[in-house]
Amino acid sequence: MRPREYATLGAADLAASVRSGQASAREIAEAALARVDTLGPRYNAFTAVTRERALRDAAAVDAARARGEALPPLAGVPFAVKNLFDVAGLTTLAGAAIERDRPPATADATVVARLAKAGAVLVGALNMEEYAYGFVTENAHYGAVRNPHDESRVAGGSSGGSSAALAAGIVPLTLGSDTNGSIRVPAALCGVCGLKPTYGRLSRQGAALFASSLDHVGPMTRSVTDLVLAYDAMQGADAADIACAQRDVEPARPALGLGIDGLRIGVADGYFHDHAGDQSRAALDIAAKALGAERRVTLPDVERARAAGFIITASEGAELHLADLRTRAAEFDFATRDRFLAGAMIPASWYIDAQRFRAWFRARMHAVFAGVDVIVAAATPVPATPIGATAFDLHGKAMPPRTHLGLLTHAFAFAGLPVATVPIDGPGLPLGVQLVAAPWREDVALRAARALEIAGVSHARVAAGALERGTPPPS
């Protein structure tokens, strides 16, 4: 399979080609590795390549097919993971220089192992913000991840490598993490799809935590169908993660065929309108019209929720890294270090008050779903900002990108709600919308996301430049 042909196919398509014998898993793995070699450095998306493992796992898939065995749903599908997930044999960097000193992981993180069990083939680990603290992935140690749609701009963060690898057609599936928006922001800015599940839905065992009471993990892909395949493969309780709960729910896959008939869809207004730029508002209007959303939803105390989320994030992150802050502060990315140091000085009473407010806010957010099934909101206030930019303009106010590209994502993570993010077609750089559902109703958010694809207003595409540059010259 040629790298260019491979780049345009999604996870479901590649798995089907392996099952049918149109392509071998090894051919697909080699095509993926060729694009890692060609484009990984260009966009600075990868920090490690698991070449030997990829070829070994692909050979195992081909051997199973040769024996006539039924293949799992992601058989032969290449994937890569944010480098905060444990991968056996690799040191888990979490975007930090300090972590280089740690020994390699001895086992895969639970979600990585579950994808591998489903037949997916791991090809590498991906660049990210240090300790997942920021929305731009301009990493002082490993360099900035470049957006494949415009290499002068950020890919978003903190899962910047995860979104760039998809937009460049290097892999059709990646894993990211989301504490305050770190799946949804880069997905929107790179024009791909992402799912932040309900807090506690997917195991975080083997993932380097940032703020334990807020951390989520989830898949990123170039289609909603592929999101569903990956999400279903990773589900299930895990005793190694006390937050990972078992729920009696149907897999998301059957829900995709149900459309949105009967779903009550509302558009977030108030804070979410005020903090979206003109381009983001236009993208939201397209999505709302396609979904037939006529209701308006005003969410309670969103600015207080964002402030409380900052207190919890900084406090929990600082506590986790306190020993290194005391003895190795100079080795942190300065932008991360200063915020962790500030977090270490937050009074305990502030943290307790923030968590108390969070319980109230979560209950109020849950009550909103008595009147709607899905809330639609813009994913970012503006498109991707230039690498190195210190501010973007939002209705006449200067906003720092590292912290404020997530203006519209914090509240939904604070409440632990499931959110699917998809791109919306339009001129210029990519933009996306969030589709938010009640707790444990990922299937509803994904139905709405799929409806936007069916309506023809949402397409996650490989960046044109990445297709051309990823094609090796004739031999």
Side-chain angles (χ1 to χ4, degrees):
M1 177 174 287
R2 294 182 180 274
R4 182 186 175 101
E5 176 191 5
Y6 154 80
T8 62
L9 298 176
D13 296 327
L14 291 168
S17 70
V18 172
R19 283 193 296 272
S20 69
Q22 290 179 324
S24 69
R26 183 181 179 90
E27 289 173 330
I28 291 170
E30 289 176 340
L33 291 167
R35 289 188 73 80
V36 172
D37 294 340
T38 305
L39 294 176
R42 185 176 194 98
Y43 302 114
N44 199 30
F46 281 76
T47 54
V49 182
T50 54
R51 190 177 308 274
E52 292 183 4
R53 171 174 171 161
L55 295 175
R56 182 181 68 244
D57 290 354
V61 171
D62 289 335
R65 185 180 184 279
R67 292 191 298 268
E69 297 176 9
L71 297 182
L74 292 170
V77 174
F79 76 110
V81 302
K82 190 174 182 177
N83 71 25
L84 58 67
F85 291 96
D86 284 352
V87 172
L90 294 184
T91 295
T92 306
L93 296 176
I98 289 172
E99 302 302 321
R100 294 171 183 156
D101 298 343
R102 318 295 192 205
T106 58
D108 291 344
T110 294
V111 288
V112 177
R114 287 178 176 172
L115 288 177
K117 185 177 180 181
V121 173
L122 182 70
V123 299
L126 298 161
N127 201 355
M128 58 177 283
E129 290 268 16
E130 184 182 66
Y131 296 123
Y133 207 171
F135 291 116
V136 291
T137 313
E138 295 184 52
N139 189 299
H141 314 298
Y142 304 102
V145 177
R146 291 177 283 279
N147 192 318
H149 294 278
D150 181 342
E151 294 175 51
S152 71
R153 295 177 181 267
V154 301
S158 63
S159 308
S162 301
S163 58
L166 291 166
I170 299 174
V171 286
L173 166 62
T174 62
L175 288 185
S177 67
D178 191 312
T179 304
N180 291 310
S182 287
I183 286 173
R184 291 162 288 155
V185 168
L189 297 185
C190 284
V192 299
C193 305
L195 176 66
K196 183 200 80 62
T198 306
Y199 180 80
R201 168 69 86 186
L202 297 181
S203 173
R204 303 169 305 172
Q205 184 278 330
L209 296 180
F210 169 24
S212 180
S213 74
L214 290 165
D215 288 336
H216 307 65
V217 301
M220 301 171 72
T221 66
R222 292 193 303 269
S223 75
V224 177
T225 296
D226 288 354
L227 270 188
V228 168
L229 283 173
Y231 166 63
D232 280 348
M234 291 187 288
Q235 284 197 62
D238 185 0
D241 179 1
I242 60 173
C244 187
Q246 179 66 59
R247 302 284 299 190
D248 295 325
V249 297
E250 292 296 320
R253 191 178 305 112
L256 290 185
L258 299 179
I260 56 169
D261 289 347
L263 290 185
R264 301 163 300 168
I265 299 173
V267 178
D269 64 7
Y271 172 94
F272 291 91
H273 178 268
D274 295 343
H275 290 83
D278 292 341
Q279 292 167 284
S280 293
R281 289 176 181 174
L284 177 62
D285 288 344
I286 291 170
K289 182 177 180 181
L291 293 171
E294 298 179 351
R295 303 168 188 244
R296 291 291 181 268
V297 179
T298 302
L299 304 178
D301 287 307
V302 176
E303 294 210 49
R304 288 179 64 196
R306 186 166 181 268
F310 271 130
I311 290 172
I312 294 169
T313 297
S315 298
E316 293 186 0
E319 190 279 329
L320 188 64
H321 299 290
L322 192 56
D324 286 331
L325 287 167
R326 285 171 170 161
T327 60
R328 307 178 68 175
E331 297 175 64
F332 282 80
D333 183 324
F334 74 92
T336 305
R337 179 197 62 212
D338 291 351
R339 285 178 289 162
F340 278 148
L341 288 172
M345 294 183 281
I346 290 174
S349 61
W350 289 19
Y351 177 83
I352 292 168
D353 284 346
Q355 289 286 17
R356 185 179 293 119
F357 171 75
R358 184 183 180 191
W360 176 89
F361 180 79
R362 187 165 47 230
R364 291 287 301 275
M365 284 295 295
H366 292 184
V368 168
F369 291 100
V372 295
D373 299 301
V374 177
I375 299 169
V376 190
T380 60
V382 294
T385 53
I387 292 172
T390 58
F392 64 86
D393 179 79
L394 183 63
H395 305 308
K397 294 182 179 179
M399 303 283 187
R402 189 181 291 270
T403 52
H404 283 60
L405 282 173
L407 277 169
L408 304 175
T409 56
H410 280 80
F412 301 127
F414 192 65
L417 300 172
V419 187
T421 297
V422 296
I424 297 299
D425 298 344
L429 293 166
L431 283 165
V433 295
Q434 301 178 85
L435 300 151
V436 189
W440 313 107
R441 295 311 308 266
E442 286 82 357
D443 61 314
V444 172
L446 290 163
R447 280 172 61 188
R450 177 59 179 150
L452 290 174
E453 289 183 335
I454 293 170
V457 301
S458 177
H459 298 89
R461 297 185 178 92
V462 176
L467 276 178
E468 296 304 322
R469 297 184 186 111
T471 303
S475 56

